[in-house]
Each structure stands twice: as structure tokens, then as C-alpha cells.
Amino acid sequence: MAEIVIKNVAKRFGAFTALHSVDLTIADQEFMVLLGASGCGKTTLLRIIAGLETPSQGEVWIGGRRVDHLPPRERGIAMVFQNYAVFPHLTVFENIAFGLRMAKLPQAEVERRVKRTAELMHIEQLLKRYSGELSGGQRQRVAVARALAMEPDVILMDEPLSNLDALLRLEMRAELKGVLAESKTTTIYVTHDQVEAMSLADRISVMNGGYIVQADRPTEVYRNPAARFVGSFIGNPPMNFLPAQAQGAGRWQVAGLDFDGPAAGAAEFAIRPEDLHPAEAGLRAEVRVVEPLGPHVLVTAQVAGQPFRAVLESDHQISPGEILTLAPIPDRIRWFDPETQKAIA
Amino acid sequence: MPRALPYLLLLPASLFLLVFFFYPFGLVVVESLTRGGEWTTENFTRMTAHWKFSQAFWNTVWLAAIVVPVQLIMALTMASVVQKLKTGRSGLLYIFAIPLGISDLAAGLIWLAIFEQSGFLNSILHGLGVIDRPQLFLGYQSLWVIFLAVCLAEIWRATAIMMVIIVAGMGLIPKEYNEAAEVFGASRWQRFTKVTLPLLRPSLQTALILRILMAFEVFAVVVALGGTTLPVLMGETFQWQFQLQDRGIAAAYAMVILGLSVAFSLVVLRLLHVPKGARI
């Protein structure tokens, strides 16, 4: 059992606050992805959980044990680093065995575990090589095998796929998901790649400016962003936002069209590009750029002077300069408070 | 033409080395193997037969055997500390590097000013009431004191060069290796011995070879502190060349120093060899 509880953790570097009071609970065997742009504090949070960074305040609990005062090796964790950190002076075998040797496991056990994890990661034929003789993808496999060999309660991964080329990343992503699900460890995975986050996570914690903005299941984060930032960060292309004028009694006017919306206050209209379709009545969009993407076509347009994107079926013949009327799917419309930037339920 | 250009640019320096280094070097080799125009090993047999040879040989070897390891440990320790510093790092490096700017003779003279009969050490001991009259520390009756003083002067003078090389080498090791070792259970000492030291091998090679060569050439410090009381190989070379005017035997001594240097350099290269593919 390795539930991870982060209580009120903050990290300041001099005058700069990398992490503002963060609270997060990660269930046993859960795959949690910390997602955000660079500088959002996701790596700092991971390093605090690992023990490579000391929090300025707050507590970290792993498996019911407070660990924030303990060195990394007493936390029952293993880690995969962004640049792999596969020791160049050791063979692949000794790299995978490193943690086991430090733990003074008997030689037979070391060999058994190295063999098993090497087979799992398909690198059993590389055991005698040095890291200088390996490709990036192979080094990545060694780094993962080294973590798995520890049979840890928690595996921490710091952008493990970011240095691989696109094709390899896709392949490793699927493989990691399978291997980690089987290993039954709790996983915390840091990435700035939303597709990676979506495809791997049980839950995603979207981070921005040192805060966790939303922590929820991938579809929830995608469909119901808790804040404007989440909508604008997740989704490719991201959500469209348009200003709305209150007409009273929960009626709102957006780009000359009337919608049902929040009962009172101020609000901003939001819709995902794929939740639009050409119709008789809808938002008047002036097409600027048309990008065919195979199954879909990405249309960049202007609505009420605002940039606006729509992903449409590719059988529509659209050309720049054309005027489209785009109807939003009613139950996919979201509203945000322009003041707090939070979603209005 | 562009392909030949780098070679052309290096040509003057290469020629300079060939003419002013390898040519005289060849002459010394010939000198050591000839006597009166005849090829012979007589220079070497006469050199080894002389009573001072084995003293000079073993003094030099022992000095190197004591000074170099002590310096290595000190340089590694200092470099590790400097590496951890967040501010004031370059300032400290400058301070540590000061002895590098002093010639070996000057270094010897500084330590002579400490150890001689009217030196600082005598003044301090007298001031403290430990002794009632100045002591002769560097006399021929107490060779080991001279030996110790030479060790001290050498350590003081030349540890910094090793440290500078090692600091540079440590700077080349990515931080992630140390962190990975930490996460995977290595203690501070284990991280040093199992990660830092092996990854530092190329720098250690450079530092050790440089330092061993310097140690076998020890001369001015010994002359300043002990005159000819403590014979060393380089001192004997000087003696035979200029005092005794026997260039053949002086050349033979030079060849012994060369042989030692080459042999120990090879040993260091061998011991600290980094296999292909195992480099950072």
C-alpha cells in the first residue's frame, strides 16, 4: 500500500515561489500525471516527493509514513530521470543492479531481478553493453528497468519520453502503460505533453504558476475544465473563448447569438473546436486558414473579431475568405468567470 | 585547400617542437649512450655504481610516493567542498591557486624561511618557551626533517594544480548521476566512490600524470631546503652536468627520470583506463 499524501507543500527559491501550498492525494496504484508548461512547478513537486528537494513548508506522506525529513533512499521510491541518468561507467546489467547492490541483496536475487526486468523491457541482449553504445530509446529502457528492478512502492518519472523521437515515444508510451499497470506501483509522471498525459493517466493534475489548477480523470479535465487555463492548455487546438453580454434571466449574447448561461454575474463563453458544426444558424465565422488533417479539417477563423478554431469533417469544402455559420453543441458549451477565471457550474 | 589549412596552421608549432625539443632530446639520448665517441653503457654502470645514485633514486621515488597520494586525497576533498559551494566559488579557487603562481625555488625559499635556524618556526617555539635556543632543523643529522619539509613545501605548492583539474572534471559530471545514485540507495560515501570517482577517471589521469611527472623532476625545493644533503635524481643530474662536468652521466640520470616518468604514466593510464562506450 503506497498512498501518497501531499499536505500544504510549498517551495520557495529566494524570492521566487516555485510551488504555492499544494495539497494532493494519490491513491495506491494510481497513475497520476503532473501536467503543465515548463516552470509550472511540476518537476519541483516531483523532486520534493523524491527527496531531492526539501520543501519550504508542508508534509509528504508515503504509505502512511511521513517522509519529508527522510533521504530519498528511505522513501521506498524509484525514479526515472529525464536524461535517463544511466551510469556511463557501468554496464547495462550493473546499471539495473545498482539499487539492488546498494540494498545488499544476495547475488542470486540480483541476477533474478535484473533478468526479469530486462526481459520485461526487451533489453536482455544489451546487458553487457555500456550506455555509450546504446541508442536513446535503449537507454530509456535501461532507466525504466533499473526503477522496476527495485520493486518500489512508488515510481517517479520526470518527463521520461521527452528526449525520444515521436515514433519511439508513441511506442514507449504504450509499453510503459502496460508494464506499470502490471507492476502495481503508484506512479507519478511529470510531462508537458498533454497527449501523453491523456493516454497514460488515471488522473491528471494540471499545474500552472506553482498551483494545482485541477486534479481529475483525463476526460473530466478535458470536458469540464475547472479553470480557463485548463481549457486553454489542454486540447489541440485548445478551447475557444468568446466574451458574452448578459441579457438578464440567464440569457447571454455571444457574437450576436443568444445562449442559455449562468443565472447572474459576468461570464465568458467557451467551446471546444470539435464541438462545432456548420449549420443554418450559428456563430458567424470568417475563415482565414484551412488546414486539412486527413480525417478532419482545421479551420482558423475570426468570430466577432476574436480568433476562433473549428475542427470539422473533412468532407466540407471550405476555402479562406468564406463565411461559415458554426453551431456549438449545446451541452458542450462551458462558461468561465472572467474575474476568477474559474468555471461556472 | 581548406583541408590542408589546419595542418598548415599547426606546422610552425610542430616544427618548433621538432627542432627545439626532439632534436636536443635525441642528443641527450645519444650522449647517455656514448663516451669519447664510442657507443657504450658505461655512463649507466658508472652512474649506478656511485654511492649517491641509489639514495637519489629512492629519495625521489619516496617523495613522489608520499606527496602524490597526499595531494590526490587533499585535492579530491577540496574539490568536493568547492563543488558544493553556491557562492564565492571562483574567489576560493583563486586563493587556492595562488601557490601555482610561485616558482618552485621561491616556494622552497618560503619554507626555508620557516625552517631555518633564524626562521619563523624557531621564533614561534622560542616565543612559546618550548625551546631556549634556536634549533638546527635542516641539518644533515636529521635527514627526515628535510624530507618532511620538502614534502610539506611540495604539497603546499602543487596541490592546487590537481584541485583545479579535478574541479573542472567534477563540473563535467551531470548532476543527475549523483541524484540517481541517491534515489537508488547510495550513501554520500558510496556516491563518491561508485559514481563520482569512476566518472572522474579522465581528469584523474591528467592530474596524476602531470603531478607524477612534476614529482620526479623535484629539484629547486630540495636545493633550497637541503642543498645536496638530500640527493634527488634531478639534483644529481645538475651536479654531474655543472659541478662534475660529466655530461654523459648527467644524460644517463636524465634517462632514468624519463624512464620513471614514462613507466608511471603508463601505469596511471592503465589503471584509470575508461573502456570505449563508458565515457560520459
Side-chain angles (χ1 to χ4, degrees):
Chain A
M1 285 296 284
E3 183 193 54
I4 301 168
V5 182
I6 293 147
K7 287 184 196 166
N8 192 25
V9 163
K11 178 69 182 177
R12 290 174 285 272
F13 295 101
F16 173 71
T17 305
L19 221 52
H20 300 269
S21 175
V22 165
D23 288 286
L24 186 66
T25 301
I26 299 150
D28 181 39
Q29 298 188 26
E30 187 173 24
F31 198 125
M32 171 63 90
V33 171
L34 304 180
L35 174 66
S38 57
C40 71
K42 57 191 192 298
T43 295
T44 306
L45 181 55
L46 189 80
R47 289 170 61 85
I48 286 173
I49 298 168
L52 293 170
E53 210 82 69
T54 323
S56 306
Q57 66 176 56
E59 300 172 9
V60 179
W61 295 69
I62 297 176
R65 200 164 58 107
R66 188 169 171 188
V67 297
D68 45 82
H69 58 284
L70 296 177
R73 59 196 161 112
E74 286 169 40
R75 297 189 179 199
I77 53 159
M79 189 160 169
V80 178
F81 290 80
Q82 182 172 8
N83 300 321
Y84 322 129
V86 171
F87 300 119
H89 61 291
L90 298 178
T91 59
V92 169
F93 184 100
E94 285 304 324
N95 261 288
I96 301 174
F98 188 88
L100 310 174
R101 298 232 189 269
M102 291 299 128
K104 299 210 162 54
L105 260 55
Q107 178 67 17
E109 176 68 4
V110 171
E111 276 172 25
R112 188 187 69 78
R113 289 214 205 170
V114 172
K115 194 164 166 287
R116 192 180 63 82
T117 47
E119 274 168 16
L120 204 60
M121 297 310 296
H122 308 296
I123 47 171
E124 60 269 46
Q125 74 286 5
L126 303 175
L127 287 174
K128 288 201 179 83
R129 301 240 193 121
Y130 287 104
S131 84
E133 300 163 311
L134 304 179
S135 69
Q138 290 170 330
R139 266 180 237 182
Q140 180 59 65
R141 287 169 183 277
V142 176
V144 175
R146 180 173 63 182
L148 289 172
M150 297 296 289
E151 297 176 3
D153 298 329
V154 177
I155 289 190
L156 307 174
M157 299 197 161
D158 186 6
E159 310 228 13
L161 304 183
S162 64
N163 287 349
L164 302 181
D165 63 62
L167 208 65
L168 209 55
R169 202 179 310 162
L170 209 68
E171 184 191 315
M172 273 302 281
R173 196 171 79 198
E175 212 173 314
L176 267 186
K177 187 166 184 168
V179 166
L180 287 169
E182 208 164 300
S183 72
K184 294 192 177 5
T185 59
T186 311
T187 307
I188 304 181
Y189 187 106
V190 162
T191 183
H192 63 267
D193 183 333
Q194 45 166 309
V195 181
E196 219 167 280
M198 287 282 172
S199 68
L200 288 172
D202 293 326
R203 272 198 306 155
I204 298 177
S205 294
V206 183
M207 295 186 69
N208 184 31
Y211 292 97
I212 292 182
V213 188
Q214 185 173 12
D216 217 326
R217 288 179 294 111
T219 43
E220 250 335 86
V221 169
Y222 188 78
R223 283 283 163 235
N224 298 312
R228 191 184 194 276
F229 170 80
V230 179
S232 67
F233 184 73
I234 291 186
N236 187 18
M239 249 180 173
N240 294 302
F241 297 93
L242 290 172
Q245 279 82 41
Q247 305 289 88
R251 295 292 290 172
W252 297 79
Q253 193 175 66
V254 177
L257 220 62
D258 280 0
F259 292 96
D260 281 323
E268 195 175 19
F269 169 94
I271 187 79
R272 289 223 171 260
E274 65 274 25
D275 295 335
L276 293 155
H277 55 89
E280 289 295 309
L283 299 162
R284 197 182 117 90
E286 199 184 322
V287 177
R288 287 291 161 86
V289 181
V290 179
E291 296 168 75
L293 303 173
H296 302 287
V297 54
L298 171 60
V299 177
T300 306
Q302 282 219 314
V303 172
Q306 302 278 332
F308 196 88
R309 291 200 191 87
V311 174
L312 306 175
E313 294 294 320
S314 53
D315 46 4
H316 295 292
Q317 287 297 321
I318 304 160
S319 45
E322 205 175 311
I323 307 287
L324 289 176
T325 42
L326 297 170
I329 300 172
D331 64 353
R332 293 281 166 84
I333 296 169
R334 298 292 175 265
W335 300 89
F336 292 94
D337 185 329
E339 195 67 35
T340 62
Q341 310 265 305
K342 294 232 161 70
I344 304 170
Chain B
M1 188 56 200
R3 267 189 30 188
L5 190 62
Y7 297 99
L8 275 177
L9 289 174
L10 289 172
L11 190 65
S14 312
L15 277 179
F16 184 88
L17 266 180
L18 280 175
V19 174
F20 292 101
F21 182 77
F22 284 103
Y23 178 64
F25 174 74
L27 287 186
V28 173
V29 175
V30 171
E31 191 101 53
S32 71
L33 289 167
T34 52
R35 200 157 188 93
E38 303 269 316
W39 292 98
T40 171
T41 54
E42 200 192 330
N43 289 326
F44 287 91
T45 46
R46 280 180 61 177
M47 170 185 73
T48 47
H50 194 271
W51 63 276
K52 264 192 164 178
F53 172 77
S54 87
Q55 273 190 28
F57 182 86
W58 287 112
N59 281 341
T60 307
V61 170
W62 274 112
L63 266 175
I66 290 169
V67 170
V68 176
V70 169
Q71 284 185 325
L72 178 65
I73 290 165
M74 284 180 67
L76 278 170
T77 315
M78 285 153 79
S80 307
V81 175
V82 167
Q83 195 65 18
K84 292 249 154 47
L85 294 178
K86 289 204 172 70
T87 50
R89 212 176 120 173
S90 50
L92 260 175
L93 272 180
Y94 280 124
I95 293 174
F96 283 152
I98 286 174
L100 283 181
I102 296 172
S103 78
D104 47 355
L105 183 60
L109 291 175
I110 288 171
W111 285 84
L112 182 65
I114 296 171
F115 282 105
E116 70 182 338
Q117 238 172 326
S118 54
F120 296 123
L121 187 58
N122 266 312
S123 310
I124 291 170
L125 291 177
H126 184 71
L128 290 171
V130 181
I131 51 175
D132 53 4
R133 78 181 76 123
Q135 301 288 308
L136 179 64
F137 292 116
L138 301 172
Y140 69 92
Q141 307 93 325
S142 47
L143 261 180
W144 66 273
V145 182
I146 301 179
F147 189 86
L148 201 72
V150 171
C151 285
L152 275 174
E154 281 288 288
I155 289 166
W156 175 82
R157 183 175 72 84
T159 303
I161 183 82
M162 290 186 97
M163 193 199 70
V164 170
I165 295 171
I166 289 171
V167 166
M170 281 182 173
L172 291 177
I173 302 175
K175 219 175 61 188
E176 280 195 337
Y177 293 129
N178 211 338
E179 290 183 344
E182 194 177 352
V183 166
F184 286 100
S187 66
R188 196 177 283 267
W189 177 247
Q190 283 172 321
R191 270 177 274 154
F192 182 72
T193 56
K194 302 233 183 278
V195 178
T196 307
L197 274 187
L199 293 179
L200 208 54
R201 277 179 294 180
S203 308
L204 289 177
Q205 271 183 0
T206 314
L208 274 174
I209 289 177
L210 202 69
R211 196 46 211 119
I212 288 172
L213 297 193
M214 279 165 74
F216 288 142
E217 289 165 10
V218 67
F219 175 52
V221 171
V222 181
V223 170
L225 286 167
T228 53
T229 320
L230 186 78
V232 288
L233 288 174
M234 205 49 146
E236 286 311 294
T237 314
F238 183 85
Q239 283 291 320
W240 283 101
Q241 176 82 18
F242 297 106
Q243 306 310 126
L244 306 169
Q245 300 276 329
D246 191 327
R247 297 170 57 172
I249 291 180
Y253 265 104
M255 296 310 290
V256 171
I257 296 171
L258 178 73
L260 274 177
S261 302
V262 170
F264 276 84
S265 297
L266 288 177
V267 169
V268 169
L269 282 176
R270 195 75 218 242
L271 285 179
L272 298 176
H273 174 69
V274 183
K276 201 165 168 268
R279 300 188 178 116
I280 295 176

